[in-house]
Amino acid sequence: MTVLMSHAARRNRDADPNAIGTDAAPLRREMPLVPAASIAGRALVTVIAIMTFLASLAAGTAILISDASRGWQNTVAQEATIQVRPIAGHDLEADTRKAAEIAAQSPGVGDVRTFSAAESARLLEPWLGGGLDLSELPVPRMIVVRKTGASFNPEALRANFAKAVPAAIFDDHSQWLSRLTVMTRTVVGAAIVLFALVLTTMLLAVAFATRGAMAGNSEIINVLHFVGAEDRFIAREFQRHFLRLGLRGGLIGAACAALTFFVLGRLAPFWTATASGDQMEALFGGFALNLQGYFAITAICIGIALLTGLISRTIVYRHLRGLG
């Protein structure tokens, strides 16, 4: 950013044609109001890049979890499960068939799928491990019911099972959905708080950097102010300088965040085969950030650059007004 010191001289010359130096070129020399390249400027770019990266990660993570949560809720809300326990004196297979028939005849029920003994045993592998003989264990049988409309009545279905199949336990997942909603809101709320803290820290860094730049150039600012330079002219020069710094740092941070999500999305299929990978995929949905997420990162980059310029302009205006 470059400011012509002759700006104020031209204003004085227009006011007084006989002023000294009206024709002299020595008064017309370029003097940078704020150095375009300095250690403080590079440090601020680094801080803005780091803060933009962290803010973009927080926003992207919140979007991933929110999208994954909506997918869970849509899937789980359409299904209910029936667990048929093995009870002494009862035929497990007969109880399972009877429970499936009752579910299929209930209003609002579309598809009924009964898991075989082998399929039910495989559901326990993430907790017990594979290759185990579960034939001697009382492994319950699972039935998945898909809802088709508002006529589905879980209380009536639960009462029918209590009368006809006491070994059957009906679960419409309402309690699990409630807990899932609370967990999702908590995680998204934490991401929003983190985003706000990062943004506040970055704005404070910009404010301190602006005050430091003003302190280092206080003599030039005071001279320009008292010889008649408009406040908006001085403030605009600071705004342009810090806007460029904010845009540069924001682009670096946003690019790193977008690249991080892109790489994680490409690497996700390689670790989803493990138990921990399946849990991570269930929570984050495979780390595949959609266009909305990348648009949010872009908006954060632009917003941070604009806020950087606005904060510097506001601080300079307040300082110049204090000069009288």
Side-chain angles (χ1 to χ4, degrees):
M1 177 180 60
T2 302
V3 176
L4 292 178
M5 288 296 293
S6 59
H7 175 81
R10 287 198 304 270
R11 289 176 58 90
N12 290 338
R13 181 180 62 190
D14 295 339
D16 184 5
N18 297 322
I20 299 175
T22 54
D23 298 325
L27 288 179
R28 186 179 179 84
R29 68 184 185 89
E30 292 187 354
M31 181 68 180
L33 184 56
V34 182
S38 63
I39 296 178
R42 289 191 291 270
L44 182 60
V45 169
T46 303
V47 171
I48 293 176
I50 294 174
M51 295 304 175
T52 304
F53 176 75
L54 294 177
S56 299
L57 285 185
T61 302
I63 292 174
L64 284 176
I65 294 178
S66 179
D67 291 343
S69 174
R70 282 196 295 269
W72 300 337
Q73 293 177 1
N74 292 335
T75 300
V76 175
Q78 295 175 359
E79 293 183 349
T81 56
I82 304 167
Q83 182 181 172
V84 183
R85 301 168 298 170
I87 298 179
H90 286 258
D91 186 355
L92 180 60
E93 295 296 332
D95 286 346
T96 302
R97 287 193 299 270
K98 190 172 184 180
E101 291 174 0
I102 294 175
Q105 296 171 1
S106 300
V109 175
D111 181 53
V112 177
R113 177 173 180 263
T114 303
F115 282 70
S116 65
E119 291 175 329
S120 299
R122 275 198 298 271
L123 296 176
L124 300 176
E125 288 185 0
W127 289 270
L128 301 180
L132 298 178
D133 184 10
L134 302 179
S135 58
E136 301 298 327
L137 295 179
V139 179
R141 298 290 296 277
M142 298 295 298
I143 302 174
V144 176
V145 176
R146 182 169 292 276
K147 310 171 189 177
T148 58
S151 59
F152 180 78
N153 189 343
E155 296 301 328
L157 191 57
R158 189 177 287 109
N160 292 335
F161 285 135
K163 295 178 181 179
V165 189
I169 300 177
F170 177 74
D171 183 11
D172 61 351
H173 303 156
S174 59
Q175 186 176 7
W176 191 85
L177 280 173
S178 176
R179 294 178 179 178
L180 174 63
T181 302
V182 172
M183 183 199 71
T184 302
R185 291 177 179 175
T186 301
V187 175
V188 173
I192 293 174
V193 171
L194 177 61
F195 177 84
L197 290 175
V198 169
L199 188 62
T200 302
T201 304
M202 189 212 66
L203 294 180
L204 288 176
V206 173
F208 288 134
T210 303
R211 294 184 182 277
M214 292 177 60
N217 300 275
S218 59
E219 295 181 357
I220 300 175
I221 294 174
N222 292 336
V223 170
L224 287 174
H225 179 74
F226 287 117
V227 299
E230 296 179 354
D231 291 350
R232 64 180 180 180
F233 169 76
I234 301 175
R236 186 170 60 247
E237 294 299 320
F238 273 88
Q239 182 182 14
R240 289 175 180 173
H241 174 74
F242 282 96
L243 179 62
R244 283 195 291 266
L245 294 181
L247 185 58
R248 191 185 311 166
L251 285 174
I252 295 174
C256 291
L259 181 61
T260 299
F261 283 112
F262 179 80
V263 172
L264 289 177
R266 291 297 180 270
L267 294 179
F270 294 98
W271 67 62
T272 52
T274 63
S276 59
D278 292 338
Q279 295 176 4
M280 293 293 291
E281 184 180 13
L283 181 61
F284 295 102
F287 288 97
L289 198 63
N290 54 22
L291 291 179
Q292 179 185 0
Y294 288 107
F295 177 79
I297 293 176
T298 304
I300 290 173
C301 170
I302 298 174
I304 284 178
L306 294 177
L307 281 176
T308 301
L310 180 62
I311 289 295
S312 63
R313 181 185 181 90
T314 302
I315 292 176
V316 173
Y317 255 126
R318 289 183 178 179
H319 174 78
L320 294 175
R321 289 173 183 173
L323 295 179

